[in-house]
Amino acid sequence: MKRILMINTGGTFSSRPGPSGLAPELTGGEIAAQLGGGISSVKLEVEDYCSLDSANIRPEDWSRLALRIGEIIAAYDGVVIIHGTDTMAYTASMLSFMLQNPPIPIVLTGSQLPLGAPMSDAADNCLCAIEMASSGYSGVFVAFNRKIMLGCRTSKVRTVSFNAFESINYPNVGEFNAFGLQLNLRRDNPSPLFRVQEAYSDRIAVLKLFPGMDPDIFRFLQEHGYEGVYIEGFGLGGVPFLKGDFTAEIRRASDAGMPILVGSQCRYEGSNLRVYETGQRILECGGIPVHNMTQEAVVTKLMWCLGQTKRREDILRFFQQNLVQEVSFS
């Protein structure tokens, strides 16, 4: 019988109505009890990490979670993390980088309605996550609405629908149907080089461009000690280079050693800085392309990279590599 650890962090899944709205209260033991016979096929153990709305999850929580998983990983066949949906994609992405070559499945899940609420998706999502955690396929995944997605490719795309999450620019790696769990994964031999690399820097900024935005924001960020910037540009990744010249500021910041990443505000199909003049100018000025990564993966990879090195050249090299299937180069 597979031994699975369920780590409870709170979120809607474990919430109850209160005077100020829904708030997480259920313990891991209460969750397991409500799941009942659905978990009889595994030996499920529970651990309460915290009880937070995921809007309150911070980078230090990612680091502590990674370290905790590193401590217990040899004792279990899989890990399930109950998590609020609002920042679950960020946590899944960061754990993908912090947990290098995990030998077991680590599966995040949550719900749009609390466990026990009429028509809730919570129990179904959790049972799917437990099944995935029992699969023997190593990696970090998200289980939601009977889909299995790579953690570093997942984004929350809807606020109230049960199909709240999608795998962006990458196929789902599995689904549940009438034949059970169907996976599109190779069962590779796990790398013996599992290690936790929990260091990070949260001194980054994300700039979503709008017409007329003042590029002086770069100087403000540098003066206040920020170490990296991700620009969500227009279309394929374009930024202004006439009035309000962003390319000049990208050059100045890059020459000063600050990594400036550039992608698209569009969620699907990725960015390509080689098509238009504006993109070519970005590359000439030192901008670093992010191709078809999710916003969550760009943010967490940049934070993780800055935890390993502060040198712009090293950050560039990291973003030219596909570390955990977070990016496709075309």
Side-chain angles (χ1 to χ4, degrees):
M1 184 175 286
K2 295 291 182 70
R3 189 179 182 198
I4 306 298
L5 177 65
M6 184 172 70
I7 299 175
N8 177 34
T9 72
T12 299
F13 192 109
S14 65
S15 289
R16 290 190 177 108
S20 300
L22 290 173
E25 291 183 2
L26 290 179
T27 66
E30 289 173 313
I31 291 171
Q34 291 196 41
L35 292 174
I39 57 175
S40 59
S41 62
V42 301
K43 179 177 173 58
L44 185 68
E45 300 178 27
V46 298
E47 182 174 303
D48 288 303
Y49 170 81
C50 62
S51 187
L52 293 175
D53 185 300
S54 71
N56 291 312
I57 293 287
R58 293 181 52 80
E60 55 262 34
D61 294 307
W62 301 332
S63 183
R64 287 174 53 209
L65 266 175
L67 287 169
R68 180 57 185 150
I69 292 169
E71 290 173 353
I72 57 85
I73 201 164
Y76 293 93
D77 297 295
V79 173
V80 171
I81 301 173
I82 303 296
H83 198 289
T85 60
D86 286 355
T87 62
M88 184 162 64
Y90 287 97
T91 299
S93 289
M94 184 57 104
L95 290 180
S96 299
F97 297 114
M98 287 184 167
L99 299 172
Q100 296 284 303
N101 303 308
I104 62 173
I106 299 154
V107 190
L108 290 88
T109 195
S111 65
Q112 293 290 75
L113 285 173
L115 182 65
M119 303 300 292
S120 174
D121 56 332
D124 191 50
N125 286 343
C126 190
L127 294 175
C128 290
I130 291 170
E131 186 74 14
M132 183 61 197
S134 307
S135 69
Y137 286 89
S138 59
V140 177
F141 306 95
V142 168
F144 212 90
N145 195 40
R146 303 200 173 192
K147 299 182 292 188
I148 306 297
M149 297 160 278
L150 280 185
C152 59
R153 291 285 192 162
T154 306
S155 286
K156 186 174 183 181
V157 299
R158 298 177 184 87
T159 56
V160 297
S161 302
F162 287 145
N163 60 334
F165 286 84
E166 289 184 8
S167 182
I168 306 299
N169 301 324
Y170 196 84
N172 295 333
V173 299
E175 66 174 13
F176 287 86
N177 58 30
F179 297 102
L181 176 59
Q182 307 294 308
L183 290 172
N184 182 28
L185 287 169
R186 295 183 305 175
R187 194 182 293 276
D188 295 328
N189 293 325
S191 169
L193 301 176
F194 169 70
R195 58 179 176 169
V196 179
Q197 291 181 282
E198 80 284 5
Y200 68 91
S201 170
D202 59 4
R203 301 298 294 165
I204 72 162
V206 178
L207 302 180
K208 185 169 185 175
L209 291 193
F210 59 86
M213 188 175 184
D214 191 335
D216 283 351
I217 185 68
F218 283 100
R219 297 178 187 271
F220 173 86
L221 294 172
Q222 283 187 293
E223 290 169 359
H224 285 76
Y226 283 79
E227 297 174 338
V229 176
Y230 171 41
I231 301 173
E232 290 190 337
F234 306 123
L236 285 172
V239 305
F241 61 87
L242 296 176
K243 294 182 179 179
D245 186 0
F246 267 77
T247 57
E249 291 301 314
I250 291 173
R251 183 186 298 279
R252 189 186 61 79
S254 298
D255 289 346
M258 176 184 278
I260 307 297
L261 312 181
V262 184
S264 175
Q265 295 177 15
C266 302
R267 190 181 295 275
Y268 296 100
E269 299 178 348
S271 56
N272 187 336
L273 302 183
R274 299 194 176 279
V275 176
Y276 291 100
E277 178 185 4
T278 178
Q280 294 276 4
R281 285 173 176 263
I282 292 167
L283 294 174
E284 292 167 2
C285 291
I288 300 173
V290 301
H291 305 282
N292 66 352
M293 294 174 66
T294 66
Q295 190 258 8
E296 296 90 342
V298 175
V299 166
T300 54
K301 185 174 181 177
L302 178 57
M303 295 171 77
W304 180 82
C305 288
L306 286 166
Q308 320 309 310
T309 177
K310 304 299 184 186
R311 298 181 69 248
R312 180 194 170 278
E313 295 78 10
D314 294 333
I315 304 295
L316 171 61
R317 189 176 70 253
F318 274 124
F319 274 87
Q320 290 173 335
Q321 298 177 62
N322 181 18
L323 301 178
V324 291
Q325 299 305 313
E326 77 279 9
V327 64
S328 305
F329 299 108
S330 57

